[in-house]
């Protein structure tokens, strides 16, 4: 008695998975470049904000005489 075993097409799903993992590796490499090659954190800047508002007075309240 001979058994007929057909192994048709296995490994097709692995190509799709390899493509996705390869894309993730490329994205992580680009992110790592921008984080590490450019010095990490951006340089701090001294921001001096001066807000001068005009003097505002309330209107006069009429007397109750």
């Amino acid at each position: 008695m001979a058994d007929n075993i057909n192994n048709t097409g296995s490994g097709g799903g692995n190509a799709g998975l390899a493509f996705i993992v390869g894309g993730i590796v490329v994205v992580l490499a680009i992110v790592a470049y921008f984080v590490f090659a450019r010095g990490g954190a951006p340089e701090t800047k001294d921001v001096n904000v001066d807000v001068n508002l005009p003097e505002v007075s309330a209107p006069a309240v009429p007397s109750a005489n």
Side-chain angles (χ1 to χ4, degrees):
M1 221 175 184
D3 289 331
N4 259 345
I5 300 174
N6 288 334
N7 288 333
T8 58
S10 64
N14 290 338
L17 181 64
F19 182 75
I20 292 171
V21 171
I24 292 172
V25 169
V26 169
V27 168
L28 288 177
I30 292 170
V31 170
Y33 169 76
F34 282 108
V35 170
F36 295 115
R38 294 182 171 233
E43 59 185 64
T44 57
K45 296 181 180 178
D46 184 23
V47 178
N48 187 8
V49 178
D50 187 17
V51 179
N52 293 318
L53 297 176
E55 183 73 26
V56 178
S57 60
V61 178
S63 61
N65 288 347

